[in-house]
Structures are given as C-alpha cells and as structure tokens.
Amino acid sequence: MTKRIFRSISLVAISIFLASGVLFMGVLYSYFSNVQKEQLQMQTKLAAQGVEDEGISYFEGLEVGKGFRITWINQNGIVLYDSARDTSKMENHLEREEIKEALQMGKGESSRYSSTLMERSLYCATELENGTVLRLSLAQHTIFTLVLGMVQPICIIFVIAIILSLFFASRLSKKIVKPLNEINLDQPLKNEGYDEVAPLLRRIDAQQCQIRKQTHELYQKTKEFETVTNGMTEGIVLLDSKQTILSINPAAIRLFETDSSCRGKNILSANRNLDLQSLLAKAEEGKHAEMVLELGNGTYQFDASPVTSDGKVSGMILLMFDVTEKERAEQMRREFTANVSHELKTPLHTISGCAELLSNGIVKEEDVSKFSSQIYTEAQRMIRLIEDIIRLSHLDEGAVDMKREKVDLYALAEKAIDLLGKEAKKAQVQMSLEGEHAIVCGIPHLLQSIVTNLCDNAIKYNKENGFVKISIRNTEECIQLLVSDTGIGIPKEHQERIFERFYRVDKSHSKEIGGTGLGLSIVKHAARLHNATIEVESTENEGTTITVSFLRA
C-alpha cells in the first residue's frame, strides 16, 4: 500500500508540473504572438503613411529591423520594392492571400509556416490610396523552437521538481500508512486514527460478527446435514484421500452391516468387497465411477465421485442407491423381448415351412396359391408386429419430434370408419358415428391411431351382426371419445391388464384374428402423451365401452 500511495503522489505531482509547464508555455506563446501581431499592424500603418507621403524615396536609407521585411506591390501583383530580395527576380504576388484580401477589403493578414526553418511568418498588408499594396512581414519562432531554446533550464527545473516530489511522496506515504499498520483488528472499534478509516473499522467489526454468526450457522448446517443424511434411504459415505471414513449415514451402516464405530477407520473395516475397492481406486485417480453390486437381498448402484482441492483429490463421496426395482423393470423388458421373439417365431416357422415345401416341389400345383397366400399373411402379420413395436418405442421416448396441432376428433372418427369399412363388412359388423365436431390440440397421427385401434378391436372382438358405435362428446371440462361394441366383452379380472403389451384375454381367438397384442398398449401411451384418461366398462358376452377423455387446455 505504501508503494501504491508513493507512486500515486509522485505521478500526480509530476503530471501537475508537466501540465502547468505546457499551459504556461502555451499561454505565454499566445500572448507574445498577439503582441507581435499588434506591433506588425501598427508598423504597417506607419510605413503605409510614409510611402503615401514620400513615395519610393521613403525606402531610401531605411533600416529594417532583424526579422522584419517590407514589400511594395502594384495593382498587377508586380513587386516594386522588397527589403530582403531583388525585385526583378521575384514572382507575381497577386495570388498571395494577404494581397488579395488587401485589394478586396483594404487590409489583409495571413501567416505561413516553414518546416525547414522551424518558424512562422506573419504578414500584414494594406492598400494605399494609389491602389498599390504595402506589406510587412515578421518572422516568428514556433513554440517548439521556443521549447528547444529553453531545454536546459526546463530540465533543471524538472529534475528538481521530481526529486522534491519523490521526497515528499515518500514521507507522506509512510505517514499515511503508519496508523493503518498499527490497527488492532481484534478490537477494531477501539482504534484511534483517521476518521476516514472509521467506516472500515466498523465494517471489520460487522464482518467479525458475521463470521461468528456464519460459524454458528455452519455448525447448524452440519447438524442439519447429519439429520438429512440420517433420514435418507440411500447410503452416503464421505472419505478422505486415504479412504478413511469421515461420515457415514445409518442407511450405509445398515447396508455394510456395521456400526457407527467405523467412523475414523478405513472403509475396509466396514466392507472388504474387491469390486468396491476398485471403484474407490478410480475415484482416487480423479475419475467418476459407478457399478452395480449385489448386497444382502437387494441390488445396489454404487457411485464414487472425487472431491478435488487445488487440483488434487482430497476426498471421495460414495453414494449407494437401491436399484432393485430398476432391475425388476429390466426383467420386464427382458420378458418383453422374449414375448417379441415368441410372436415372431411362429410366423417365421410358418413362412419357413411353406417355403421349404414349395422349394422342394412337394406341394401340389393347385395348392401353391394357398401356400403363397399363407406366406404373405404371416409376413404381413410380422410387418404389423414390427411396426407396432417401433411405434411403441417411439412413444416410450416421449415422441418429442412430433409436432402438435389442432385436430378435429370427429373427422378422425370418420376417417377410421372409412379405413375399417372393409374389415367391418367382412366381419358383418355395422359402424356408426354420432356427436359433434370437437377440436383437440395434439399429434394428428397418434390421435388417429387411438381411434383406429379402438375401432379395430371393437370389430375384431365383436359378434356376427354386431354394432360398433363411435361417439364424440364436447363438454365444458373435456372432450370425450367413446367406442362401444356388442362383442364378447372383457372379464372383470382382465380389465386392468388389457393395456399391457402382448396381453390377451382369449389367446386362441386373438391368434385367429391376427392381432399383435400391442394395439391397446399404443392407445395407452398415445393417450398419456395427450394427458388423456381411459376408462373401460365391459360386461362379458354383452359388449365393451372404452372412453378416452381429453382435458381442455
């Protein structure tokens, strides 16, 4: 701080000196320039009076001072007399600024700078009564020439000023800093010194109070952290760089089947699992690591994260999550894969068998079309199954790439009736549509799949000469799509599971009608993406009504 004050004072003193010198020289130069200009005007006036009185004889025996020059020019710009040069060798002066101005206005002034001589010439011209012009000029040194001429005294004054500035700056800076160095920070309000420092001392005192308060709050937060971690179902262990346990919550204690006495000991005293040691070794190297381990009757995911300080690993955090349910979900996905494999295996076997018989020529000629038709039917069934699986996977991902727009649900129902008309006629089922136009903001083809799949199921699981009725209701709270049929119905114990993938109430009947077992699953996922609810009302051997309710925005 002393050096900074010293530099600041010295810089200010030197800057003020330089600025004062420049200002003084500028003002002085301006003053003398104005004086010289006034003298030149006066002398021009006197010389003009003499020329008018005496003519050319005025110049005989005239002594011109150093730096002065007199020139007499006629109306055509020809020089009649010049005190410094031979008039016969001089060019025409009619284009000179001061001459033109004098011929026009009676008087003229100008100045010209010579970079070679480092001086400026002042010109003053006046028109005489006979139309000629008398001009006087004066050579004036520039400010740079003036400064160069005063280099020696200026340098001496500058050196003296710098020495004095440095001396007083050094003394003053030490005197300013001394009371600051003697401040008692333990009791800041009891110090005596500058009044300007009092706000700083009060601030230090306030900060010390705040530090004490923060220390208390830190203690409270530590207690809160222990309370929170003690109530966590996930295990958490804090370790230092040598894998010594700094903190461990009850969940981790239960998981490791140890007690609180393990705090302050190496983690090997709590668990000697080799996979866990390799996980912590990666964290020791500054890498985040995770793995799934079987402990007790559950499956747990262990996450180890390094804690760095100044670029070095100073500790580790070990988190343990119970992923038993996640593993069960993974098991369900594996079952789904098995179901898909099973669903694909049957048509593939049929296609393979028919193709083998046809390739070996065993099939009679009149049966070839029958076998070809069966191959085509099974291939179409596989294509439908794969398309439904792809559609479901897309819906599981949230269908974020699909754009929403306003869709008329009544128009979608009309389109579904047109698409399924042939199937309904083949199954001897009549379809009808009632209600009114209703606008839903959603993904058009997903809304269409909801209507089409519900109607398709209503046709497939209907009775001969049955009915399928589609209703669109527009209420204040929601817009409802109702699909009712007079089919075989759904037993009550199966109604909650019909939206599961590959779930069939009557597997034999489902195989006959060629269903993939994914239609209602697609309906469920599509409805969920539109925040819609699904209700099922069904009576066995009487019919089923499925209601999809779309909430208004």
Side-chain angles (χ1 to χ4, degrees), residues 176-194:
I176 291 173
V177 173
K178 185 178 179 181
L180 300 178
N181 291 330
E182 296 175 353
I183 289 177
N184 182 7
L185 296 178
D186 295 330
Q187 297 176 329
L189 297 181
K190 293 184 179 180
N191 288 282
E192 295 182 1
Y194 301 114

Side-chain angles (χ1 to χ4, degrees), residues 41 78 224 229 238 257 502:
Q41 291 173 352
I78 299 172
E224 290 174 6
T229 54
L238 303 182
E257 297 179 353
F502 296 110

